[in-house]
Amino acid sequence: MPATILKSTASSKTLLIIKFDTNSSRYPFYKKHLLELNSESTFLGLLTKGQADTSITRLNQDDVRLFEKAKTVADRTKDVAYSFSDPILSTQLRTPPPQPTSIRYLYFGTYRIKPWYTSPYPEEYSCAKNLYICESCLKYMNSDHVLQRHKMKCSWSYPPGDEIYRDKNISIFEVDGQRQPIYCQNLCLLAKMFLHSKMLYYDVEPFLFYVLTEFDGQECKVIGYFSKEKRSASDYNVSCILTLPIYQRRGYGVFLIDFSYLLTQVEGKLGSPEKPLSDLGLVTYRSYWKMRVAKALLEITTPISINAIAKSTSMVCDDVISTLESLSVFKYDPLKKKYVLQLKRDELENVYKAWNIKHPQRVNPKLLRWTPYLGEEQISNLLLKENILIPLPQKRLLDNSHHLDSV
Amino acid sequence: MQTFRLTSTGRNILRPDELAFQPREEIPYKSFHPDLQIDEPLEILEGDHTQYAGLRDSLVTYKSENSYVLKALLNAKIENVKPVGVQTENINPQEKKFGYKTAKQLDWSPDEYFKFVAIHPYSKTSFPVSYDLDELDTMWLTYYNEFQLSSNSEWENVSKEFLEIVLTIIEREWLYLEAWMPKIEPVRVEDELDGRCVICNEAECENSNAIVFCDNCNTSVHQNCYGIPFVPEGQWFCKKCLLAPHEVICCAFCPDRDGAFCTTLDGRWCHTICAIAIPEISFHDTSRLDLVRNIASIPKSRWKLVCCICKLRWGTCVQCSDKNCYAAYHITCARRAGFFYKIYSHSASYDSVDMETYCDKHTPPDYLNGLMKRLFPLAELYYKRMATDVPLNFQATKAPDFVPEGPWKSHPLPAFIVDKVTKVLLSYNVKRQDLPSIVTDICKFYHMKRRSRKDAPLLKSQLLMDSLENLPVRASKDRVRSLEVAKALQDQYQSLLTLVESTAKRQLLKCQLSNLRKKFLNLNYFPAQRLLQDTLVKIIDLDVDGLFNMPLDNGWIGWVELKRQVFSYQIGSISSLEKKLEPIWDVDGVIQCIDDMEQLTAMVQFAQKTEGEVKKLFIKAKIYFESLSLDERGNLKVPSLGINGLEYDNWPGLNELEMSQLDIPSQGNLKSLHDFIEGLDLNEKIGKFPISMFQNQVAQFSTIEIPKMSGRANGMHNFHSEDVTGQSNHALPNSVTKKNGTKQPYTKNSLPFNERITRSKAKKNYS
């Protein structure tokens, strides 16, 4: 035995202490490599001793002095001098330190916006007085100095995804949360400042982001976006939707909603926004649904089921029924226990026309160049449908028992 | 989601006050129209509808407009500001190619849709700079240039762009190095409670309330439970690991040494969970859940409760929420033992807390999948051990005033990185005379900056992340060799383990073997011993009331002493035992010793009653003893059975190797040995005697060799001396040596019992 185990203690981090037999022929081999392997000084054996040498970067007094000097000057420009997440702060002070304040202003391109809600940015940024966001890549910064440095090299002129729709200068990009997590996280963090109930910030992988942009002659600027689960268990076609405050009340929200239903239509599904909706979202959706259902009702002449209306509008039945109610079309006769649709065509026409006047910007399905997102499962289903894959015959459990009976 | 109660008719009852909080759109239609068939075509009515007389709005009970009032919509406060000026004209062209903006415009053609293609981050001629200088970097650069200029008048100023380029490369190379480094994590015993928050005992977490793990002790806590307003980007340490990473500390309210600690206002340690669970105390610093106050208001009765798990008189306990249960325990003990507890707080600062907790009897059996059954004994063991290991003391509850330097690790950059960065710069044609020394200085700055950021990386870039995913495995020679070493070591460790196991097994067998040998020797050299013991036990059993337990003046030594003498080999023969018993039958002697009439009567009656029986027992024993074939020294004759013969038997599990080391006995030997073992009494008392005595005994029979006896016998000696205290130095009694003692004639007292009593009384009166 060239090595013997001396002891292992649970309390310390050392698991084993190995004592080598110095008379063993393999001792030099062990000594040279194993001890080096286990030491941090060579980066766990990744580097040679010469490579891992840190003597030339060892700090001397001048280095530390320069750094401290720069740090004190730089800290003076900041609002907060200490770190709020420092857990020993209160123990040191023996009194509660002041509460962290939230971001006062958001600088986004040429705009200064007062955020409505707090967003879970990292501490450095959450506690800063102002937050600066690059309108091209959505990187967040806590000082205009950094922004200036950043602007010198940010070369993004459109979101990091594929353009799937373009109508004049309006474009929609599909960004995959798995391929561009940082961009999507930044987008979510930005959106949280204007949304009350939003739970998604960092786990963006299972989502697709549809970013609406406007081309201003130089780059495609973000107007709004909606996110959509790649695979939704409950017919949700929108999980989060936002128009940036700068562009609000210009019909972009409705445009995004219309677009989301277009995607659902192409997929051949029924869709509904993820609930609960924000106040603004509810108002927008209500008016959109009314228009959508009114249009569908104007086209019908024969008795029609709720399901058929849902299919023609790509809306789920729940949404269809609630919209029929609010249009006062959906009636009930308690004597005959029967539901009927009572149409007043002129009223419906008014609803449809009024909406169209208010929202001139419409989605043109012809301009969409898009194939639905396919997961592995869907691809295999597709292959099965096309008879490319032949399903395996399932074994019948009953066969055996029949056999036994006959015997 | 709102639930609706169903009446007997099946129709939902809608209560407007319940629904007012939810818009109509968020309630499923089934709640309003339970009998609606969505596949059934609905008739369309236009104008008159005479056939539907009772037609009305379908939604009678719910008015969406009234029930759900939208709050006033927020108006965004937006101002126009001047955009940040960007000047890239003055940048050194050598540095400008690293992704600094040029006036190039986006190629925008109306028909061509953009397709995002991730560019290869690092081409041969340039790569995109991703680091943006902050104020600190700029200040440092200014001071650095000044400092260099003061010592060297020909110093060429380092530009901001240059610093950005170098920092980007350092970050990249450092990240690669870390990615290449093998991940070594200390092996931990996986526990069902691992990964659960040590405060609320829940494993679930959400985005805004994540579970954070301490980078030193791996304690896991929820952000809200432990008061962590922001999760730092770098490392995070719990308060204990920050303030006293190497000390053993004590909570002021419970005996548990692990868990998430905070401090009290008077500077002591305390578990956050203790501070939450004990109703009287609260947090002074409510956002960080620190500085526990109102400790004085804890009633004395709470301090007096004794925990049913740790059974230690330390700290304050909580009690079972069951109305009729008074079981008290520390909340940390309860967590360790898997008791049910749940904290309902009315505020984030845990000012007023309702707590539901149940003791072992009232914890729901399916809580944590019935983990309590397994954890409870473990917890008891933990505290039992802890009480002896490092006892609780008040000194250890004191939190330090002085805060040492934080445990944040940051490694100075190795020469490898400096060389690599210089090489990369040279390959991109960045030329400068004093390049290596500048790179070294920037590396130092990088180290200091990273340390000040608690080792959080300086750069967060998609390009870097993407390039990490495609990182080639760096299989250097060293690493292959290290792997070999590790594998060899693993093998050796395995064989070492096997060896230890077989050694333990062998020792166990040897122990059993020597026990047997001890029994055998016992039987061989003290053939009467077992007979004596058995007989004595039978006789003592006769004396159910223990009349003769105590010694008497007439020479009777008492059952206890007699038993001790017999079992410690002080009585060698049956006749000497008989002799010892004689005072019992000596009625006169007994009468003289006892004053109490009642007792005396009982004793004399007992003696008369049992005398015959005892005599029979002795005769039986003697007959049996004579039937034993003894040799001339009084030892049991074992046909040709040496002491070594006892070394073997078919022990289960004894392997071939072990067998071969022993001498192989003859079949006859084995058989007689087997018979012997069958006949042995398994009484533990046999053979419990000091080995020194035994050796004296052996010395007398010098013709018999007892090989390898002393070593093992020492062990037996120790074992024995605990049982018979004060006997180890006892000289061997004479009776043992007098093996063939003469038979004592059995004298029988002929006088009837009553007469003797009266006579002795008369005697007493006279005297």
Side-chain angles (χ1 to χ4, degrees):
Chain A
M1 233 340 86
T4 47
I5 292 159
L6 270 186
K7 69 166 183 183
S8 65
T9 49
S11 57
S12 73
K13 276 197 170 180
T14 317
L15 286 177
L16 288 174
I17 295 172
I18 298 163
K19 193 181 176 187
F20 290 98
D21 179 4
T22 45
N23 295 327
S24 164
S25 57
R26 300 175 84 174
Y27 174 64
F29 178 67
Y30 277 110
K31 192 189 172 192
K32 195 173 164 200
H33 297 292
L34 195 103
L35 293 181
E36 276 179 17
L37 169 87
N38 219 14
S39 68
E40 277 191 15
S41 61
T42 59
F43 293 81
L44 304 164
L46 198 65
L47 306 179
T48 62
K49 262 232 163 98
Q51 285 176 328
D53 182 30
T54 54
S55 58
I56 59 161
T57 54
R58 195 156 294 151
L59 305 174
N60 60 35
Q61 269 191 332
D62 284 339
D63 299 323
V64 177
R65 192 178 50 79
L66 269 185
F67 182 83
E68 290 301 328
K69 197 172 154 194
K71 196 169 187 303
T72 39
V73 175
D75 279 347
R76 229 176 280 155
T77 61
K78 278 193 207 163
D79 240 12
V80 278
Y82 49 80
S83 158
F84 285 107
S85 62
D86 193 348
I88 58 172
L89 197 67
S90 44
T91 309
Q92 264 176 317
L93 298 173
R94 284 287 156 84
T95 172
Q99 290 289 324
T101 50
S102 52
I103 298 158
R104 263 172 272 173
Y105 285 107
L106 165 70
Y107 287 81
F108 187 78
T110 58
Y111 302 98
R112 189 170 82 160
I113 313 163
K114 192 146 181 64
W116 298 344
Y117 305 103
T118 54
S119 186
Y121 281 103
E123 185 185 10
E124 250 185 281
Y125 305 94
S126 278
C127 297
K129 200 168 155 190
N130 300 320
L131 191 71
Y132 297 83
I133 290 182
C134 168
E135 74 266 41
S136 316
C137 69
L138 303 183
K139 181 185 167 161
Y140 47 86
M141 290 149 280
N142 53 9
S143 75
D144 52 352
H145 178 83
V146 183
L147 179 67
Q148 197 184 358
R149 297 300 311 175
H150 175 73
K151 280 268 130 196
M152 283 170 76
K153 45 194 172 300
C154 183
S155 57
W156 290 27
S157 42
Y158 56 90
D162 294 335
E163 195 177 7
I164 56 169
Y165 179 91
R166 186 189 294 175
D167 188 3
K168 287 169 203 137
N169 58 349
I170 296 286
S171 304
I172 288 177
F173 290 82
E174 185 187 59
V175 185
D176 188 338
Q178 195 161 10
R179 288 173 63 186
Q180 294 293 333
I182 293 185
Y183 180 85
C184 296
Q185 280 166 8
N186 289 348
L187 186 62
C188 286
L189 287 169
L190 171 65
K192 175 66 189 76
M193 287 200 272
F194 305 104
L195 291 172
H196 180 60
S197 59
K198 179 169 172 36
M199 295 307 287
L200 168 81
Y201 317 114
Y202 291 107
D203 306 323
V204 292
E205 279 80 7
F207 290 89
L208 289 170
F209 292 80
Y210 294 92
V211 185
L212 177 67
T213 62
E214 186 186 32
F215 184 67
D216 65 349
Q218 280 176 336
E219 57 181 316
C220 295
K221 284 191 167 162
V222 179
I223 293 173
Y225 85 103
F226 69 88
S227 58
K228 179 179 176 171
E229 275 177 276
K230 286 172 183 172
R231 250 176 253 155
S232 175
S234 40
D235 287 339
Y236 291 144
N237 65 354
V238 165
S239 72
C240 199
I241 182 162
L242 175 86
T243 313
L244 290 180
I246 313 157
Y247 301 98
Q248 270 169 6
R249 287 159 205 267
R250 294 191 209 170
Y252 287 122
V254 172
F255 183 83
L256 280 172
I257 293 172
D258 204 10
F259 190 77
S260 73
Y261 277 104
L262 174 64
L263 295 185
T264 311
Q265 201 183 328
V266 173
E267 285 175 319
K269 290 182 185 169
L270 303 181
S272 175
E274 199 177 312
K275 277 123 192 171
L277 289 160
S278 69
D279 289 348
L280 203 57
L282 187 63
V283 170
T284 321
Y285 262 104
R286 264 185 196 160
S287 80
Y288 176 76
W289 284 336
K290 270 190 187 173
M291 179 280 291
R292 199 80 201 233
V293 173
K295 193 185 163 203
L297 289 175
L298 283 171
E299 285 163 6
I300 55 164
T301 46
T302 50
I304 189 165
S305 70
I306 299 287
N307 241 347
I309 300 176
K311 267 177 196 156
S312 73
T313 55
S314 302
M315 288 160 60
V316 294
C317 294
D318 272 318
D319 295 342
V320 170
I321 291 166
S322 71
T323 312
L324 286 174
E325 283 166 5
S326 61
L327 283 170
S328 324
V329 168
F330 199 52
K331 303 276 168 164
Y332 182 67
D333 190 342
L335 299 175
K336 294 195 176 183
K337 299 212 167 176
K338 212 171 167 187
Y339 289 94
V340 291
L341 300 175
Q342 189 183 31
L343 300 189
K344 287 171 187 151
R345 285 191 186 269
D346 46 341
E347 273 180 31
L348 292 177
E349 225 151 285
N350 279 344
V351 168
Y352 182 59
K353 274 181 188 163
W355 193 87
N356 268 348
I357 291 163
K358 212 176 157 193
H359 302 282
Q361 181 86 33
R362 296 300 308 273
V363 175
N364 185 353
K366 283 176 193 161
L367 297 173
L368 181 73
R369 295 184 196 171
W370 181 71
T371 43
Y373 178 87
L374 290 176
E376 271 175 47
E377 202 181 317
Q378 281 159 309
I379 289 174
S380 63
N381 279 345
L382 200 75
L383 293 177
L384 283 175
K385 228 187 211 171
E386 302 287 320
N387 286 330
I388 297 168
L389 267 180
I390 300 154
L392 290 167
Q394 285 193 333
K395 270 191 183 174
R396 274 194 198 166
L397 289 169
L398 279 173
D399 280 0
N400 258 339
S401 60
H402 265 290
H403 229 71
L404 283 173
D405 282 349
S406 60
V407 169
Chain B
M1 188 51 67
Q2 215 91 37
T3 52
F4 300 95
R5 277 174 223 161
L6 290 170
T7 59
S8 52
T9 55
R11 174 99 195 170
N12 290 318
I13 289 181
L14 304 173
R15 285 181 18 207
D17 55 322
E18 274 181 5
L19 295 173
F21 301 105
Q22 221 174 356
R24 163 66 188 91
E25 283 82 357
E26 287 171 19
I27 306 166
Y29 73 89
K30 284 273 184 205
S31 309
F32 302 99
H33 317 296
D35 43 359
L36 174 66
Q37 298 296 319
I38 55 163
D39 287 326
E40 196 180 294
L42 302 175
E43 206 173 322
I44 294 168
L45 299 181
E46 282 184 73
D48 293 337
H49 42 83
T50 43
Q51 67 271 44
Y52 293 106
L55 199 65
R56 56 184 169 92
D57 266 357
S58 59
L59 206 62
V60 184
T61 47
Y62 187 88
K63 289 275 181 237
S64 58
E65 286 79 11
N66 298 343
S67 59
Y68 182 73
V69 184
L70 288 173
K71 284 166 255 163
L73 293 179
L74 287 162
N75 255 324
K77 277 182 197 161
I78 302 163
E79 297 158 70
N80 277 308
V81 288
K82 223 178 97 194
V84 198
V86 180
Q87 285 185 329
T88 50
E89 288 80 31
N90 303 332
I91 299 174
N92 180 350
Q94 213 186 36
E95 290 153 3
K96 197 170 176 175
K97 66 180 179 194
F98 291 100
Y100 287 97
K101 237 183 200 167
T102 44
K104 204 179 125 198
Q105 271 205 358
L106 182 62
D107 290 330
W108 196 81
S109 62
D111 293 329
E112 205 179 314
Y113 285 17
F114 289 117
K115 204 152 179 75
F116 185 78
V117 182
I119 47 161
H120 192 277
Y122 305 108
S123 69
K124 281 204 169 160
T125 51
S126 75
F127 71 97
V129 171
S130 6
Y131 186 72
D132 306 318
L133 292 189
D134 65 9
E135 284 87 348
L136 174 58
D137 307 322
T138 317
M139 278 330 289
W140 178 81
L141 190 64
T142 318
Y143 289 135
Y144 177 70
N145 279 332
E146 274 175 22
F147 178 72
Q148 292 293 346
L149 204 63
S150 66
S151 57
N152 177 7
S153 57
E154 284 170 16
W155 173 259
E156 192 189 334
N157 271 353
V158 176
S159 69
K160 291 176 183 173
E161 290 74 29
F162 185 82
L163 184 61
E164 278 179 351
I165 294 166
V166 176
L167 283 174
T168 310
I169 303 174
I170 294 175
E171 182 78 37
R172 187 181 91 187
E173 296 301 330
W174 188 240
L175 212 66
Y176 284 4
L177 191 68
E178 278 182 345
W180 274 321
M181 238 161 32
K183 303 283 171 293
I184 292 185
E185 277 175 34
V187 181
R188 287 175 194 282
V189 182
E190 278 292 318
D191 199 311
E192 283 88 343
L193 290 179
D194 263 4
R196 286 176 182 275
C197 170
V198 297
I199 291 159
C200 65
N201 217 7
E202 300 280 344
E204 278 158 37
C205 61
E206 4 175 305
N207 264 319
S208 53
N209 185 19
I211 290 187
V212 189
F213 289 82
C214 172
D215 281 317
N216 186 35
C217 63
N218 213 29
T219 301
S220 47
V221 283
H222 274 120
Q223 265 182 278
N224 292 353
C225 291
Y226 196 50
I228 311 166
F230 298 99
V231 181
E233 284 179 275
Q235 295 157 331
W236 180 82
F237 295 97
C238 67
K239 275 161 206 159
K240 194 249 158 185
C241 292
L242 275 178
L243 286 163
H246 307 298
E247 279 156 51
V248 176
I249 59 168
C250 267
C251 172
F253 302 108
C254 78
D256 204 316
R257 288 250 158 73
D258 305 327
F261 284 89
C262 61
T263 52
T264 63
L265 256 185
D266 54 357
R268 283 190 287 162
W269 287 111
C270 151
H271 281 110
T272 308
I273 173 73
C274 291
I276 294 171
I278 299 164
E280 287 85 8
I281 52 180
S282 59
F283 295 105
H284 188 40
D285 181 2
T286 49
S287 63
R288 282 158 209 81
L289 301 182
D290 204 354
L291 302 179
V292 178
R293 62 178 172 187
N294 296 343
I295 296 167
S297 61
I298 300 176
K300 269 186 188 165
S301 55
R302 194 177 281 286
W303 290 99
K304 278 180 185 161
L305 292 172
V306 176
C307 172
C308 69
I309 301 161
C310 66
K311 295 169 182 87
L312 295 169
R313 281 194 174 273
W314 180 273
T316 55
C317 292
V318 292
Q319 279 172 300
C320 179
S321 299
D322 192 274
K323 270 183 200 165
N324 303 318
C325 182
Y326 293 97
Y329 40 83
H330 300 112
I331 192 70
T332 43
C333 296
R335 182 183 186 271
R336 205 174 265 282
F339 286 11
F340 177 89
Y341 74 91
K342 203 165 169 65
I343 301 158
Y344 306 96
S345 175
H346 303 300
S347 65
S349 58
Y350 292 97
D351 278 339
S352 54
V353 174
D354 280 335
M355 175 125 168
E356 196 184 355
T357 170
Y358 293 108
C359 66
D360 51 337
K361 288 185 193 82
H362 299 105
T363 291
D366 53 343
Y367 179 63
L368 297 178
N369 299 325
L371 199 58
M372 192 189 78
K373 265 187 198 149
R374 209 175 63 74
L375 288 181
F376 192 20
L378 287 180
E380 283 182 314
L381 195 70
Y382 169 86
Y383 290 112
K384 214 172 175 180
R385 270 201 202 141
M386 197 197 62
T388 52
D389 256 10
V390 189
L392 297 157
N393 61 73
F394 286 101
Q395 197 57 41
T397 64
K398 236 178 121 71
D401 289 327
F402 168 72
V403 180
E405 202 181 321
W408 294 286
K409 284 166 228 153
S410 68
H411 206 284
L413 298 182
F416 172 77
I417 298 266
V418 182
D419 292 347
K420 189 85 197 265
V421 172
T422 319
K423 261 185 220 160
V424 170
L425 283 173
L426 285 174
S427 76
Y428 288 132
N429 271 327
V430 179
K431 291 209 171 71
R432 220 188 135 107
Q433 250 185 350
D434 44 2
L435 193 63
S437 77
I438 295 174
V439 169
T440 312
D441 284 340
I442 296 176
C443 281
K444 284 179 186 172
F445 170 71
Y446 177 85
H447 172 211
M448 288 186 283
K449 173 113 195 242
R450 195 142 171 181
R451 194 171 58 182
S452 77
R453 284 170 54 86
K454 295 174 189 172
D455 206 33
L458 304 190
L459 190 55
K460 198 173 163 191
S461 148
Q462 187 70 51
L463 281 178
L464 262 180
M465 276 169 63
D466 289 349
S467 66
L468 263 185
E469 283 195 359
N470 307 321
L471 202 65
V473 179
R474 207 186 124 136
S476 70
K477 260 189 194 170
D478 285 353
R479 298 245 289 156
V480 174
R481 221 168 336 163
S482 303
L483 197 68
E484 279 169 21
V485 176
K487 270 185 186 161
L489 197 75
Q490 196 188 6
D491 288 349
Q492 299 210 349
Y493 177 62
Q494 275 303 328
S495 51
L496 200 67
L497 272 185
T498 341
L499 201 69
V500 167
E501 266 170 33
S502 13
T503 311
K505 215 193 237 168
R506 190 187 63 193
Q507 288 310 116
L508 194 74
L509 287 173
K510 276 192 173 172
C511 180
Q512 287 173 340
L513 214 58
S514 50
N515 268 341
L516 255 184
R517 179 190 286 165
K518 192 170 71 180
K519 278 184 188 171
F520 167 69
L521 290 175
N522 198 26
L523 218 73
N524 194 9
Y525 295 115
F526 305 99
Q529 179 64 23
R530 228 191 85 208
L531 216 54
L532 283 171
Q533 287 174 5
D534 285 354
T535 315
L536 182 71
V537 169
K538 274 179 198 159
I539 295 168
I540 293 174
D541 282 349
L542 291 175
D543 184 7
V544 185
D545 301 327
L547 292 168
F548 287 92
N549 273 354
M550 299 309 291
L552 298 178
D553 290 343
N554 68 342
W556 168 241
I557 54 171
W559 291 128
V560 184
E561 173 65 12
L562 186 64
K563 199 171 175 182
R564 192 191 64 75
Q565 284 183 5
V566 168
F567 279 91
S568 57
Y569 293 79
Q570 291 179 21
I571 293 168
S573 66
I574 295 165
S575 42
S576 56
L577 179 64
E578 216 172 352
K579 213 174 180 180
K580 288 266 181 197
L581 283 173
E582 261 167 26
I584 297 183
W585 326 129
D586 172 20
V587 177
D588 291 337
V590 173
I591 289 166
Q592 274 173 15
C593 302
I594 302 292
D595 289 336
D596 186 356
M597 197 59 192
E598 236 172 79
Q599 198 190 346
L600 184 71
T601 319
M603 283 167 88
V604 173
Q605 268 176 355
F606 167 76
Q608 280 199 332
K609 208 171 93 188
T610 54
E611 197 176 352
E613 208 168 327
V614 171
K615 197 179 151 195
K616 263 185 219 161
L617 275 173
F618 273 114
I619 292 165
K620 231 191 219 171
K622 272 176 196 160
I623 292 165
Y624 184 75
F625 185 73
E626 273 153 20
S627 74
L628 295 172
S629 52
L630 301 178
D631 61 10
E632 64 276 12
R633 293 183 209 91
N635 294 337
L636 200 64
K637 246 189 208 162
V638 182
S640 67
L641 187 76
I643 285 163
N644 276 335
L646 265 172
E647 286 277 4
Y648 9 68
D649 199 334
N650 263 334
W651 295 112
L654 199 68
N655 61 33
E656 301 270 317
L657 186 85
E658 299 277 330
M659 294 281 276
S660 67
Q661 284 171 358
L662 305 170
D663 300 330
I664 294 168
S666 69
Q667 281 297 319
N669 279 0
L670 276 179
K671 199 180 175 307
S672 53
L673 179 68
H674 181 76
D675 291 342
F676 250 106
I677 294 162
E678 287 285 303
L680 284 175
D681 187 357
L682 287 176
N683 189 349
E684 289 285 319
K685 293 278 183 185
I686 289 182
K688 283 197 176 179
F689 56 92
I691 203 64
S692 55
M693 285 158 64
F694 182 71
Q695 276 165 340
N696 287 343
Q697 166 80 2
V698 166
Q700 295 204 356
F701 312 111
S702 51
T703 45
I704 294 183
E705 285 177 27
I706 306 174
K708 301 184 229 163
M709 198 55 206
S710 55
R712 285 174 199 176
N714 277 336
M716 295 197 304
H717 174 83
N718 293 337
F719 176 51
H720 165 74
S721 59
E722 284 171 17
D723 287 274
V724 187
T725 46
Q727 284 296 311
S728 50
N729 295 328
H730 214 280
L732 200 66
N734 293 336
S735 55
V736 180
T737 46
K738 270 192 237 161
K739 277 272 149 175
N740 300 323
T742 49
K743 275 183 194 174
Q744 293 282 321
Y746 195 72
T747 50
K748 193 181 172 186
N749 219 318
S750 53
L751 277 169
F753 172 69
N754 284 340
E755 202 175 326
R756 267 188 284 159
I757 289 215
T758 45
R759 264 173 59 188
S760 59
K761 271 195 175 167
K763 254 186 201 169
K764 265 191 178 173
N765 286 341
Y766 299 139
S767 62

